PDB file of all heavy atoms in Angstrom:
ATOM      1  N   GLU A   5      99.106 101.738  95.599  1.00 95.00           N
ATOM      2  CA  GLU A   5      97.975 102.487  95.045  1.00 95.00           C
ATOM      3  C   GLU A   5      98.300 103.198  93.723  1.00 95.00           C
ATOM      4  O   GLU A   5      97.495 103.209  92.807  1.00 95.00           O
ATOM      5  CB  GLU A   5      97.519 103.515  96.088  1.00 95.00           C
ATOM      6  CG  GLU A   5      96.176 104.091  95.862  1.00 95.00           C
ATOM      7  CD  GLU A   5      95.049 103.121  96.131  1.00 95.00           C
ATOM      8  OE1 GLU A   5      95.227 102.141  96.881  1.00 95.00           O
ATOM      9  OE2 GLU A   5      93.967 103.352  95.580  1.00 95.00           O
ATOM     10  N   TRP A   6      99.492 103.813  93.640  1.00 95.00           N
ATOM     11  CA  TRP A   6      99.819 104.661  92.486  1.00 95.00           C
ATOM     12  C   TRP A   6     101.152 104.251  91.865  1.00 95.00           C
ATOM     13  O   TRP A   6     102.191 104.226  92.530  1.00 95.00           O
ATOM     14  CB  TRP A   6      99.890 106.121  92.920  1.00 95.00           C
ATOM     15  CG  TRP A   6      98.598 106.633  93.478  1.00 95.00           C
ATOM     16  CD1 TRP A   6      97.455 106.906  92.785  1.00 95.00           C
ATOM     17  CD2 TRP A   6      98.312 106.946  94.849  1.00 95.00           C
ATOM     18  NE1 TRP A   6      96.482 107.363  93.631  1.00 95.00           N
ATOM     19  CE2 TRP A   6      96.982 107.402  94.909  1.00 95.00           C
ATOM     20  CE3 TRP A   6      99.055 106.899  96.029  1.00 95.00           C
ATOM     21  CZ2 TRP A   6      96.372 107.801  96.094  1.00 95.00           C
ATOM     22  CZ3 TRP A   6      98.448 107.284  97.202  1.00 95.00           C
ATOM     23  CH2 TRP A   6      97.126 107.733  97.232  1.00 95.00           C
ATOM     24  N   ILE A   7     101.131 103.989  90.555  1.00 94.00           N
ATOM     25  CA  ILE A   7     102.331 103.505  89.869  1.00 94.00           C
ATOM     26  C   ILE A   7     103.430 104.568  89.800  1.00 94.00           C
ATOM     27  O   ILE A   7     104.613 104.238  89.865  1.00 94.00           O
ATOM     28  CB  ILE A   7     101.995 102.961  88.460  1.00 94.00           C
ATOM     29  CG1 ILE A   7     103.204 102.214  87.892  1.00 94.00           C
ATOM     30  CG2 ILE A   7     101.517 104.075  87.536  1.00 94.00           C
ATOM     31  CD1 ILE A   7     102.918 101.434  86.626  1.00 94.00           C
ATOM     32  N   ASP A   8     103.077 105.838  89.681  1.00 95.00           N
ATOM     33  CA  ASP A   8     104.116 106.868  89.602  1.00 95.00           C
ATOM     34  C   ASP A   8     104.830 107.068  90.932  1.00 95.00           C
ATOM     35  O   ASP A   8     106.001 107.425  90.965  1.00 95.00           O
ATOM     36  CB  ASP A   8     103.574 108.189  89.061  1.00 95.00           C
ATOM     37  CG  ASP A   8     102.481 108.805  89.925  1.00 95.00           C
ATOM     38  OD1 ASP A   8     101.710 108.046  90.554  1.00 95.00           O
ATOM     39  OD2 ASP A   8     102.378 110.047  89.954  1.00 95.00           O
ATOM     40  N   VAL A   9     104.139 106.790  92.050  1.00 95.00           N
ATOM     41  CA  VAL A   9     104.784 106.890  93.363  1.00 95.00           C
ATOM     42  C   VAL A   9     105.845 105.803  93.488  1.00 95.00           C
ATOM     43  O   VAL A   9     106.974 106.063  93.908  1.00 95.00           O
ATOM     44  CB  VAL A   9     103.756 106.785  94.513  1.00 95.00           C
ATOM     45  CG1 VAL A   9     104.447 106.694  95.864  1.00 95.00           C
ATOM     46  CG2 VAL A   9     102.804 107.969  94.480  1.00 95.00           C
ATOM     47  N   ARG A  10     105.502 104.574  93.105  1.00 92.00           N
ATOM     48  CA  ARG A  10     106.498 103.498  93.236  1.00 92.00           C
ATOM     49  C   ARG A  10     107.571 103.591  92.172  1.00 92.00           C
ATOM     50  O   ARG A  10     108.642 103.032  92.330  1.00 92.00           O
ATOM     51  CB  ARG A  10     105.838 102.132  93.268  1.00 92.00           C
ATOM     52  CG  ARG A  10     105.281 101.610  91.997  1.00 92.00           C
ATOM     53  CD  ARG A  10     104.803 100.157  92.212  1.00 92.00           C
ATOM     54  NE  ARG A  10     104.073  99.651  91.097  1.00 92.00           N
ATOM     55  CZ  ARG A  10     102.751  99.643  90.989  1.00 92.00           C
ATOM     56  NH1 ARG A  10     102.018 100.115  91.970  1.00 92.00           N
ATOM     57  NH2 ARG A  10     102.168  99.157  89.926  1.00 92.00           N
ATOM     58  N   THR A  11     107.331 104.333  91.089  1.00 92.00           N
ATOM     59  CA  THR A  11     108.333 104.488  90.035  1.00 92.00           C
ATOM     60  C   THR A  11     109.301 105.622  90.334  1.00 92.00           C
ATOM     61  O   THR A  11     110.508 105.421  90.398  1.00 92.00           O
ATOM     62  CB  THR A  11     107.639 104.742  88.682  1.00 92.00           C
ATOM     63  OG1 THR A  11     106.742 103.666  88.410  1.00 92.00           O
ATOM     64  CG2 THR A  11     108.656 104.834  87.565  1.00 92.00           C
ATOM     65  N   PHE A  12     108.765 106.838  90.528  1.00 93.00           N
ATOM     66  CA  PHE A  12     109.604 108.025  90.704  1.00 93.00           C
ATOM     67  C   PHE A  12     109.807 108.419  92.161  1.00 93.00           C
ATOM     68  O   PHE A  12     110.694 109.210  92.466  1.00 93.00           O
ATOM     69  CB  PHE A  12     108.986 109.226  89.975  1.00 93.00           C
ATOM     70  CG  PHE A  12     108.731 108.998  88.521  1.00 93.00           C
ATOM     71  CD1 PHE A  12     107.474 109.167  87.992  1.00 93.00           C
ATOM     72  CD2 PHE A  12     109.751 108.612  87.674  1.00 93.00           C
ATOM     73  CE1 PHE A  12     107.221 108.965  86.651  1.00 93.00           C
ATOM     74  CE2 PHE A  12     109.513 108.402  86.333  1.00 93.00           C
ATOM     75  CZ  PHE A  12     108.248 108.579  85.814  1.00 93.00           C
ATOM     76  N   GLY A  13     108.945 107.926  93.059  1.00 92.00           N
ATOM     77  CA  GLY A  13     108.981 108.369  94.444  1.00 92.00           C
ATOM     78  C   GLY A  13     108.082 109.579  94.624  1.00 92.00           C
ATOM     79  O   GLY A  13     107.577 110.149  93.655  1.00 92.00           O
ATOM     80  N   GLN A  14     107.865 109.954  95.878  1.00 94.00           N
ATOM     81  CA  GLN A  14     106.976 111.081  96.167  1.00 94.00           C
ATOM     82  C   GLN A  14     107.159 111.475  97.627  1.00 94.00           C
ATOM     83  O   GLN A  14     107.402 110.630  98.472  1.00 94.00           O
ATOM     84  CB  GLN A  14     105.519 110.673  95.931  1.00 94.00           C
ATOM     85  CG  GLN A  14     104.497 111.746  96.148  1.00 94.00           C
ATOM     86  CD  GLN A  14     104.574 112.840  95.105  1.00 94.00           C
ATOM     87  OE1 GLN A  14     104.797 112.568  93.933  1.00 94.00           O
ATOM     88  NE2 GLN A  14     104.416 114.070  95.535  1.00 94.00           N
ATOM     89  N   VAL A  15     107.038 112.751  97.906  1.00 92.00           N
ATOM     90  CA  VAL A  15     107.037 113.234  99.279  1.00 92.00           C
ATOM     91  C   VAL A  15     105.591 113.511  99.659  1.00 92.00           C
ATOM     92  O   VAL A  15     104.880 114.230  98.951  1.00 92.00           O
ATOM     93  CB  VAL A  15     107.888 114.508  99.435  1.00 92.00           C
ATOM     94  CG1 VAL A  15     107.770 115.074 100.840  1.00 92.00           C
ATOM     95  CG2 VAL A  15     109.339 114.216  99.102  1.00 92.00           C
ATOM     96  N   PHE A  16     105.142 112.941 100.766  1.00 91.00           N
ATOM     97  CA  PHE A  16     103.803 113.160 101.294  1.00 91.00           C
ATOM     98  C   PHE A  16     103.933 114.010 102.550  1.00 91.00           C
ATOM     99  O   PHE A  16     104.251 113.503 103.620  1.00 91.00           O
ATOM    100  CB  PHE A  16     103.127 111.825 101.630  1.00 91.00           C
ATOM    101  CG  PHE A  16     102.741 111.015 100.425  1.00 91.00           C
ATOM    102  CD1 PHE A  16     103.672 110.205  99.789  1.00 91.00           C
ATOM    103  CD2 PHE A  16     101.457 111.071  99.926  1.00 91.00           C
ATOM    104  CE1 PHE A  16     103.323 109.457  98.678  1.00 91.00           C
ATOM    105  CE2 PHE A  16     101.096 110.328  98.813  1.00 91.00           C
ATOM    106  CZ  PHE A  16     102.039 109.522  98.187  1.00 91.00           C
ATOM    107  N   ALA A  17     103.726 115.303 102.403  1.00 89.00           N
ATOM    108  CA  ALA A  17     103.793 116.232 103.531  1.00 89.00           C
ATOM    109  C   ALA A  17     102.660 117.231 103.348  1.00 89.00           C
ATOM    110  O   ALA A  17     102.712 118.062 102.448  1.00 89.00           O
ATOM    111  CB  ALA A  17     105.135 116.948 103.560  1.00 89.00           C
ATOM    112  N   PHE A  18     101.636 117.126 104.187  1.00 77.00           N
ATOM    113  CA  PHE A  18     100.461 117.965 104.032  1.00 77.00           C
ATOM    114  C   PHE A  18     100.288 118.860 105.247  1.00 77.00           C
ATOM    115  O   PHE A  18     100.465 118.431 106.385  1.00 77.00           O
ATOM    116  CB  PHE A  18      99.209 117.105 103.836  1.00 77.00           C
ATOM    117  CG  PHE A  18      99.288 116.221 102.623  1.00 77.00           C
ATOM    118  CD1 PHE A  18      99.409 114.854 102.752  1.00 77.00           C
ATOM    119  CD2 PHE A  18      99.248 116.772 101.353  1.00 77.00           C
ATOM    120  CE1 PHE A  18      99.481 114.035 101.637  1.00 77.00           C
ATOM    121  CE2 PHE A  18      99.312 115.966 100.229  1.00 77.00           C
ATOM    122  CZ  PHE A  18      99.427 114.597 100.367  1.00 77.00           C
ATOM    123  N   LYS A  19      99.920 120.098 104.988  1.00 78.00           N
ATOM    124  CA  LYS A  19      99.686 121.075 106.047  1.00 78.00           C
ATOM    125  C   LYS A  19      98.576 120.568 106.967  1.00 78.00           C
ATOM    126  O   LYS A  19      97.550 120.083 106.518  1.00 78.00           O
ATOM    127  CB  LYS A  19      99.284 122.401 105.406  1.00 78.00           C
ATOM    128  CG  LYS A  19      99.134 123.525 106.378  1.00 78.00           C
ATOM    129  CD  LYS A  19      98.814 124.815 105.631  1.00 78.00           C
ATOM    130  CE  LYS A  19      98.691 125.964 106.591  1.00 78.00           C
ATOM    131  NZ  LYS A  19      98.425 127.210 105.893  1.00 78.00           N
ATOM    132  N   GLY A  20      98.837 120.657 108.252  1.00 75.00           N
ATOM    133  CA  GLY A  20      97.829 120.263 109.223  1.00 75.00           C
ATOM    134  C   GLY A  20      97.887 118.789 109.608  1.00 75.00           C
ATOM    135  O   GLY A  20      97.152 118.353 110.470  1.00 75.00           O
ATOM    136  N   GLU A  21      98.728 118.014 108.951  1.00 75.00           N
ATOM    137  CA  GLU A  21      98.869 116.592 109.296  1.00 75.00           C
ATOM    138  C   GLU A  21     100.156 116.398 110.074  1.00 75.00           C
ATOM    139  O   GLU A  21     101.180 116.996 109.760  1.00 75.00           O
ATOM    140  CB  GLU A  21      98.899 115.722 108.029  1.00 75.00           C
ATOM    141  CG  GLU A  21      97.654 115.790 107.186  1.00 75.00           C
ATOM    142  CD  GLU A  21      96.460 115.114 107.834  1.00 75.00           C
ATOM    143  OE1 GLU A  21      96.629 114.376 108.816  1.00 75.00           O
ATOM    144  OE2 GLU A  21      95.341 115.347 107.351  1.00 75.00           O
ATOM    145  N   GLU A  22     100.126 115.546 111.075  1.00 79.00           N
ATOM    146  CA  GLU A  22     101.321 115.278 111.873  1.00 79.00           C
ATOM    147  C   GLU A  22     102.229 114.256 111.199  1.00 79.00           C
ATOM    148  O   GLU A  22     103.383 114.120 111.571  1.00 79.00           O
ATOM    149  CB  GLU A  22     100.930 114.784 113.269  1.00 79.00           C
ATOM    150  CG  GLU A  22     100.260 115.858 114.100  1.00 79.00           C
ATOM    151  CD  GLU A  22      99.967 115.381 115.504  1.00 79.00           C
ATOM    152  OE1 GLU A  22     100.738 114.574 116.042  1.00 79.00           O
ATOM    153  OE2 GLU A  22      98.956 115.829 116.061  1.00 79.00           O
ATOM    154  N   VAL A  23     101.703 113.523 110.245  1.00 82.00           N
ATOM    155  CA  VAL A  23     102.467 112.475 109.582  1.00 82.00           C
ATOM    156  C   VAL A  23     102.924 112.959 108.214  1.00 82.00           C
ATOM    157  O   VAL A  23     102.128 113.440 107.421  1.00 82.00           O
ATOM    158  CB  VAL A  23     101.613 111.196 109.401  1.00 82.00           C
ATOM    159  CG1 VAL A  23     102.397 110.123 108.685  1.00 82.00           C
ATOM    160  CG2 VAL A  23     101.130 110.707 110.741  1.00 82.00           C
ATOM    161  N   SER A  24     104.196 112.861 107.969  1.00 87.00           N
ATOM    162  CA  SER A  24     104.721 113.079 106.630  1.00 87.00           C
ATOM    163  C   SER A  24     105.710 111.953 106.367  1.00 87.00           C
ATOM    164  O   SER A  24     106.343 111.429 107.288  1.00 87.00           O
ATOM    165  CB  SER A  24     105.382 114.450 106.511  1.00 87.00           C
ATOM    166  OG  SER A  24     106.475 114.546 107.382  1.00 87.00           O
ATOM    167  N   PHE A  25     105.810 111.577 105.101  1.00 91.00           N
ATOM    168  CA  PHE A  25     106.724 110.493 104.753  1.00 91.00           C
ATOM    169  C   PHE A  25     107.145 110.640 103.301  1.00 91.00           C
ATOM    170  O   PHE A  25     106.481 111.305 102.509  1.00 91.00           O
ATOM    171  CB  PHE A  25     106.082 109.121 105.002  1.00 91.00           C
ATOM    172  CG  PHE A  25     104.850 108.848 104.182  1.00 91.00           C
ATOM    173  CD1 PHE A  25     104.944 108.126 102.999  1.00 91.00           C
ATOM    174  CD2 PHE A  25     103.608 109.302 104.582  1.00 91.00           C
ATOM    175  CE1 PHE A  25     103.816 107.878 102.240  1.00 91.00           C
ATOM    176  CE2 PHE A  25     102.479 109.051 103.837  1.00 91.00           C
ATOM    177  CZ  PHE A  25     102.583 108.340 102.655  1.00 91.00           C
ATOM    178  N   GLY A  26     108.257 110.060 102.982  1.00 90.00           N
ATOM    179  CA  GLY A  26     108.759 110.096 101.617  1.00 90.00           C
ATOM    180  C   GLY A  26     108.910 108.691 101.079  1.00 90.00           C
ATOM    181  O   GLY A  26     109.180 107.752 101.818  1.00 90.00           O
ATOM    182  N   VAL A  27     108.703 108.567  99.784  1.00 91.00           N
ATOM    183  CA  VAL A  27     108.908 107.305  99.081  1.00 91.00           C
ATOM    184  C   VAL A  27     110.027 107.549  98.088  1.00 91.00           C
ATOM    185  O   VAL A  27     109.988 108.507  97.323  1.00 91.00           O
ATOM    186  CB  VAL A  27     107.626 106.853  98.339  1.00 91.00           C
ATOM    187  CG1 VAL A  27     107.880 105.594  97.550  1.00 91.00           C
ATOM    188  CG2 VAL A  27     106.482 106.672  99.310  1.00 91.00           C
ATOM    189  N   ARG A  28     111.007 106.694  98.121  1.00 90.00           N
ATOM    190  CA  ARG A  28     112.135 106.820  97.203  1.00 90.00           C
ATOM    191  C   ARG A  28     111.937 105.834  96.059  1.00 90.00           C
ATOM    192  O   ARG A  28     111.887 104.630  96.274  1.00 90.00           O
ATOM    193  CB  ARG A  28     113.423 106.535  97.944  1.00 90.00           C
ATOM    194  CG  ARG A  28     114.615 107.001  97.203  1.00 90.00           C
ATOM    195  CD  ARG A  28     115.821 106.920  98.083  1.00 90.00           C
ATOM    196  NE  ARG A  28     116.921 107.386  97.294  1.00 90.00           N
ATOM    197  CZ  ARG A  28     117.964 107.984  97.760  1.00 90.00           C
ATOM    198  NH1 ARG A  28     118.063 108.168  99.047  1.00 90.00           N
ATOM    199  NH2 ARG A  28     118.923 108.380  96.977  1.00 90.00           N
ATOM    200  N   GLY A  29     111.791 106.357  94.855  1.00 87.00           N
ATOM    201  CA  GLY A  29     111.561 105.504  93.697  1.00 87.00           C
ATOM    202  C   GLY A  29     112.858 105.089  93.027  1.00 87.00           C
ATOM    203  O   GLY A  29     113.863 105.790  93.112  1.00 87.00           O
ATOM    204  N   PRO A  30     112.845 103.963  92.336  1.00 85.00           N
ATOM    205  CA  PRO A  30     114.058 103.461  91.691  1.00 85.00           C
ATOM    206  C   PRO A  30     114.382 104.138  90.360  1.00 85.00           C
ATOM    207  O   PRO A  30     115.476 103.968  89.833  1.00 85.00           O
ATOM    208  CB  PRO A  30     113.739 101.982  91.477  1.00 85.00           C
ATOM    209  CG  PRO A  30     112.263 101.942  91.320  1.00 85.00           C
ATOM    210  CD  PRO A  30     111.741 103.018  92.233  1.00 85.00           C
ATOM    211  N   VAL A  31     113.456 104.919  89.826  1.00 87.00           N
ATOM    212  CA  VAL A  31     113.678 105.543  88.516  1.00 87.00           C
ATOM    213  C   VAL A  31     113.932 107.027  88.695  1.00 87.00           C
ATOM    214  O   VAL A  31     113.125 107.742  89.287  1.00 87.00           O
ATOM    215  CB  VAL A  31     112.454 105.336  87.584  1.00 87.00           C
ATOM    216  CG1 VAL A  31     112.666 106.032  86.251  1.00 87.00           C
ATOM    217  CG2 VAL A  31     112.187 103.859  87.384  1.00 87.00           C
ATOM    218  N   SER A  32     115.068 107.490  88.200  1.00 87.00           N
ATOM    219  CA  SER A  32     115.339 108.930  88.210  1.00 87.00           C
ATOM    220  C   SER A  32     115.503 109.391  86.763  1.00 87.00           C
ATOM    221  O   SER A  32     116.098 108.707  85.940  1.00 87.00           O
ATOM    222  CB  SER A  32     116.589 109.262  89.034  1.00 87.00           C
ATOM    223  OG  SER A  32     117.718 108.621  88.517  1.00 87.00           O
ATOM    224  N   ILE A  33     114.929 110.528  86.476  1.00 90.00           N
ATOM    225  CA  ILE A  33     114.934 111.097  85.137  1.00 90.00           C
ATOM    226  C   ILE A  33     115.750 112.384  85.186  1.00 90.00           C
ATOM    227  O   ILE A  33     115.611 113.178  86.119  1.00 90.00           O
ATOM    228  CB  ILE A  33     113.493 111.420  84.669  1.00 90.00           C
ATOM    229  CG1 ILE A  33     112.586 110.203  84.752  1.00 90.00           C
ATOM    230  CG2 ILE A  33     113.494 112.020  83.279  1.00 90.00           C
ATOM    231  CD1 ILE A  33     112.827 109.137  83.741  1.00 90.00           C
ATOM    232  N   HIS A  34     116.573 112.577  84.183  1.00 90.00           N
ATOM    233  CA  HIS A  34     117.368 113.799  84.110  1.00 90.00           C
ATOM    234  C   HIS A  34     116.978 114.585  82.873  1.00 90.00           C
ATOM    235  O   HIS A  34     116.359 114.063  81.952  1.00 90.00           O
ATOM    236  CB  HIS A  34     118.861 113.453  84.076  1.00 90.00           C
ATOM    237  CG  HIS A  34     119.305 112.724  85.301  1.00 90.00           C
ATOM    238  ND1 HIS A  34     119.623 113.364  86.461  1.00 90.00           N
ATOM    239  CD2 HIS A  34     119.428 111.401  85.561  1.00 90.00           C
ATOM    240  CE1 HIS A  34     119.942 112.464  87.384  1.00 90.00           C
ATOM    241  NE2 HIS A  34     119.819 111.267  86.860  1.00 90.00           N
ATOM    242  N   GLN A  35     117.364 115.833  82.867  1.00 89.00           N
ATOM    243  CA  GLN A  35     117.067 116.726  81.750  1.00 89.00           C
ATOM    244  C   GLN A  35     117.658 116.175  80.454  1.00 89.00           C
ATOM    245  O   GLN A  35     118.747 115.623  80.435  1.00 89.00           O
ATOM    246  CB  GLN A  35     117.682 118.087  82.072  1.00 89.00           C
ATOM    247  CG  GLN A  35     117.678 119.068  80.965  1.00 89.00           C
ATOM    248  CD  GLN A  35     118.326 120.361  81.409  1.00 89.00           C
ATOM    249  OE1 GLN A  35     117.921 120.908  82.423  1.00 89.00           O
ATOM    250  NE2 GLN A  35     119.294 120.829  80.680  1.00 89.00           N
ATOM    251  N   ALA A  36     116.922 116.336  79.363  1.00 89.00           N
ATOM    252  CA  ALA A  36     117.397 115.899  78.050  1.00 89.00           C
ATOM    253  C   ALA A  36     117.958 117.104  77.298  1.00 89.00           C
ATOM    254  O   ALA A  36     117.451 118.216  77.413  1.00 89.00           O
ATOM    255  CB  ALA A  36     116.257 115.284  77.264  1.00 89.00           C
ATOM    256  N   VAL A  37     119.024 116.865  76.532  1.00 90.00           N
ATOM    257  CA  VAL A  37     119.655 117.929  75.745  1.00 90.00           C
ATOM    258  C   VAL A  37     119.806 117.427  74.318  1.00 90.00           C
ATOM    259  O   VAL A  37     120.162 116.276  74.084  1.00 90.00           O
ATOM    260  CB  VAL A  37     121.049 118.284  76.339  1.00 90.00           C
ATOM    261  CG1 VAL A  37     121.712 119.389  75.528  1.00 90.00           C
ATOM    262  CG2 VAL A  37     120.927 118.696  77.789  1.00 90.00           C
ATOM    263  N   SER A  38     119.543 118.314  73.359  1.00 88.00           N
ATOM    264  CA  SER A  38     119.623 117.907  71.957  1.00 88.00           C
ATOM    265  C   SER A  38     121.062 117.667  71.525  1.00 88.00           C
ATOM    266  O   SER A  38     122.006 118.217  72.100  1.00 88.00           O
ATOM    267  CB  SER A  38     118.966 118.962  71.064  1.00 88.00           C
ATOM    268  OG  SER A  38     119.679 120.177  71.107  1.00 88.00           O
TER     269      SER A  38
END
């Protein structure tokens, strides 16, 4: 459904829902320094 979820990953944990799940994306971004 969402390109950023499959790229970076996402945690789906919502209050009041019994189901939570995480998606681990293949792209990790780190802080940039000049």
